[in-house]
Amino acid sequence: MVNVTVDFNLLTAKQKKVYSVIETFIKTRGIPPTVREIGEMVGEKTPGAVQGILNRLEQKGVIKREVGMARSIQLVTDTSQYMTPVYLPKLKKVSNRNISDLFNIYNIIQYYPFPSALFEADSSPENCFLISCPDNSLLYSGIKYEDHLIIDRDIENKLNDGDIVLILYDNHALLRYYSKHENPNNIVLKADSDLIGREVFSKDEVIIVGKLIGKYTKY
């Protein structure tokens, strides 16, 4: 089989839809769909109409079929409408005990897929992890216990005033708004609701674990 690169902009809306359901079907079930199954997925009741679209996709080099064989559709393009995901580890916890080895296998619950486009040029997925929101101190900012947070550990010389950071203070994982202090030995860490009763900390008092770069939540 010869792979070709196809410009999907040259396909009609119906052709794109049919191609997408074929690709999805193959990726999820491991076998090609039948003409009837394609018709059901795209809402086309006439087998002849589906055959016509498949013929045009074949003419454009997007698919290949064996005559007289069921489930013989093959994708022959190296261009995919699926983005390659990156996998982030979800951590059980962040504490003084494991801060030096967060990605220890015993601290990883599971790896979750995320679109690679979510990460900026200066944010490598290798330095990121997922964790459940550890506290409600930024509740008014829209971050709550039910949220899952994406934290980037690569923060050296990259933090700006207003960034949200995950910190360790007194062995508690907390979320705070970061900003510099006039004293270079101190930093300012603000929360929407602060039970600690202070905002200025010595750099030796806290550990900045990483910067919040994303979250996902359930509605």
Side-chain angles (χ1 to χ4, degrees):
M1 188 194 316
V2 179
N3 284 344
V4 296
T5 300
V6 173
D7 184 355
F8 286 102
N9 292 323
L10 299 179
L11 302 181
T12 67
K14 281 190 176 181
Q15 290 167 4
K16 289 179 183 178
K17 188 174 184 179
V18 169
Y19 180 89
S20 294
V21 300
I22 293 172
E23 188 175 23
T24 301
F25 194 98
I26 292 174
K27 284 181 176 289
T28 56
R29 303 197 184 185
I31 58 173
T34 63
V35 172
R36 180 181 61 81
E37 289 168 336
I38 294 172
E40 291 175 351
M41 289 185 287
V42 300
E44 181 57 70
K45 298 180 180 180
T46 308
V50 177
Q51 286 284 9
I53 296 174
L54 293 176
N55 289 340
R56 288 185 284 278
L57 289 176
E58 192 168 15
Q59 291 168 3
K60 293 183 178 181
V62 179
I63 66 171
K64 180 179 179 180
R65 293 180 292 172
E66 297 293 334
V67 179
M69 290 183 59
R71 299 191 186 278
S72 65
I73 299 174
Q74 301 176 47
L75 304 179
V76 297
T77 170
D78 58 8
T79 303
S80 175
Q81 297 191 97
Y82 282 82
M83 181 182 295
T84 301
V86 296
Y87 290 85
L88 302 184
K90 182 177 182 182
L91 304 187
K92 293 179 182 177
K93 62 181 179 179
V94 175
S95 67
N96 289 335
R97 185 175 182 179
N98 68 8
I99 187 62
S100 62
D101 191 19
L102 283 180
F103 294 164
N104 183 296
I105 187 172
Y106 299 107
N107 196 38
I108 295 176
I109 299 173
Q110 194 172 6
Y111 283 85
Y112 289 79
F114 286 88
S116 56
L118 290 177
F119 300 91
E120 300 176 356
D122 61 346
S123 295
S124 171
E126 295 179 356
N127 298 315
C128 300
F129 63 87
L130 189 68
I131 192 169
S132 296
C133 179
D135 73 331
N136 259 359
S137 58
L138 295 184
L139 180 62
Y140 299 139
S141 296
I143 302 175
K144 52 188 183 300
Y145 275 127
E146 295 81 7
D147 293 337
H148 298 273
L149 311 179
I150 301 175
I151 305 295
D152 184 1
R153 296 204 67 190
D154 185 17
I155 56 173
E156 187 174 359
N157 300 320
K158 293 182 179 180
L159 287 180
N160 298 307
D161 289 352
D163 284 342
I164 297 176
V165 292
L166 176 67
I167 68 168
L168 267 178
Y169 174 71
D170 196 24
N171 205 29
H172 294 290
L174 305 169
L175 292 174
R176 291 293 186 272
Y177 282 104
Y178 166 91
S179 60
K180 299 179 180 66
H181 191 269
E182 57 186 13
N183 183 339
N185 295 317
N186 295 337
I187 54 176
V188 179
L189 299 169
K190 294 184 178 181
D192 295 337
S193 56
D194 190 3
L195 298 178
I196 296 177
R198 55 184 296 202
E199 295 181 343
V200 178
F201 297 82
S202 164
K203 290 182 178 180
D204 296 331
E205 288 184 278
V206 297
I207 298 174
I208 299 180
V209 181
K211 179 175 73 172
L212 177 68
I213 62 170
K215 72 162 186 168
Y216 74 89
T217 186
K218 294 180 180 180
Y219 289 93

